[in-house]
């Protein structure tokens, strides 16, 4: 009787493991087909609040270029690129280019401390439930998506950006 129970239990565990492996493989191999965002796509619209409680709707920025950056306070590459983003924001904010920096799921206290430490003036949006992160299918942080004045994605960059690259990216989405 004990051997039979053990056999059933092992069979159930094996079935669960096989199912998990099949699901993982399926997920990885169909990632592209499930709608990974691509250059040339219309940027999905969203509404998020900033640190002052103001709401930002992406579609309200049509007519401007948007430098959409996903980041976290714990992410060292994110922290290193933030001063460069701030420098370029000061140059481009009056030239039709907006930075929307989307913090992914962190408490306001941590975000505020980070913003004060780095003297950031561009809008910091709170994606508390990671809805926009999932909508855009962002995996590594930081990831930056450039959106032109028509709302079309023109670039998707993962990883830390040097200041010269940020400057070039902002120039590329500057309305003419």
């Amino acid at each position: 009787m004990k051997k039979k129970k053990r056999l059933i239990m092992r069979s159930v565990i094996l079935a669960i493991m096989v199912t998990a492996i099949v699901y993982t493989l399926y997920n990885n191999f169909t990632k592209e087909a499930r709608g990974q965002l691509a250059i040339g796509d219309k940027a999905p619209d969203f509404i998020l609040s900033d640190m002052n409680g103001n709401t930002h709707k992406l579609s309200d920025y049509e007519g401007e270029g948007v430098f959409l950056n996903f980041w976290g306070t714990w992410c060292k590459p994110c922290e290193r690129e933030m001063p460069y983003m701030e420098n370029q924001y000061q140059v481009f904010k009056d030239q039709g280019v907006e930075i929307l920096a989307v913090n992914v799921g962190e408490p306001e206290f941590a975000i505020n401390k980070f913003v004060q430490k780095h003297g950031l003036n561009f809008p910091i949006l709170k994606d508390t439930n990671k809805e926009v992160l999932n909508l855009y299918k962002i995996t590594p942080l930081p990831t930056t998506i450039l959106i032109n004045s028509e709302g079309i994605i023109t670039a998707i960059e993962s990883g830390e950006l040097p200041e010269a690259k940020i400057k070039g990216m902002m120039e590329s989405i500057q309305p003419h």
Side-chain angles (χ1 to χ4, degrees), residues 58-70:
L58 181 63
S59 57
D60 288 346
Y61 290 96
E62 283 198 19
E64 295 180 70
V66 176
F67 185 97
L68 181 63
N69 179 267
F70 291 86

Side-chain angles (χ1 to χ4, degrees), residues 17-67:
M17 288 174 64
V18 167
T19 303
I21 290 168
V22 168
Y23 175 77
T24 302
L25 290 172
Y26 170 79
N27 248 4
N28 286 335
F29 288 120
T30 61
K31 195 173 190 176
E32 292 298 318
R34 283 184 287 122
Q36 193 78 352
L37 288 174
I39 293 169
D41 289 350
K42 180 88 172 154
D45 203 10
F46 62 83
I47 299 174
L48 288 175
S49 295
D50 65 20
M51 298 303 291
N52 301 318
N54 302 316
T55 57
H56 295 260
K57 185 175 181 181
L58 181 63
S59 57
D60 288 346
Y61 290 96
E62 283 198 19
E64 295 180 70
V66 176
F67 185 97

Side-chain angles (χ1 to χ4, degrees), residues 18-129:
V18 167
T19 303
I21 290 168
V22 168
Y23 175 77
T24 302
L25 290 172
Y26 170 79
N27 248 4
N28 286 335
F29 288 120
T30 61
K31 195 173 190 176
E32 292 298 318
R34 283 184 287 122
Q36 193 78 352
L37 288 174
I39 293 169
D41 289 350
K42 180 88 172 154
D45 203 10
F46 62 83
I47 299 174
L48 288 175
S49 295
D50 65 20
M51 298 303 291
N52 301 318
N54 302 316
T55 57
H56 295 260
K57 185 175 181 181
L58 181 63
S59 57
D60 288 346
Y61 290 96
E62 283 198 19
E64 295 180 70
V66 176
F67 185 97
L68 181 63
N69 179 267
F70 291 86
W71 67 283
T73 61
W74 49 267
C75 163
K76 289 300 175 192
C78 301
E79 187 169 7
R80 287 190 296 266
E81 73 181 7
M82 283 291 174
Y84 304 147
M85 288 168 51
E86 177 63 31
N87 292 344
Q88 295 309 311
Y89 176 69
Q90 294 305 323
V91 173
F92 287 94
K93 68 180 179 181
D94 297 325
Q95 298 178 35
V97 177
E98 185 63 72
I99 291 180
L100 298 178
V102 178
N103 177 273
V104 183
E106 293 188 271
E108 280 195 33
F109 174 78
I111 301 169
N112 275 325
K113 194 172 163 190
F114 185 93
V115 167
Q116 288 169 0
K117 176 182 176 184
H118 295 287
L120 305 177
N121 294 297
F122 46 80
I124 305 291
L125 309 184
K126 300 176 294 179
D127 190 12
T128 311
N129 300 320

Side-chain angles (χ1 to χ4, degrees), residues 162-174:
E163 189 161 6
K165 178 138 190 175
I166 292 171
K167 180 179 191 277
M169 292 169 80
M170 290 192 169
E171 287 170 346
S172 77
I173 55 172
Q174 189 177 1

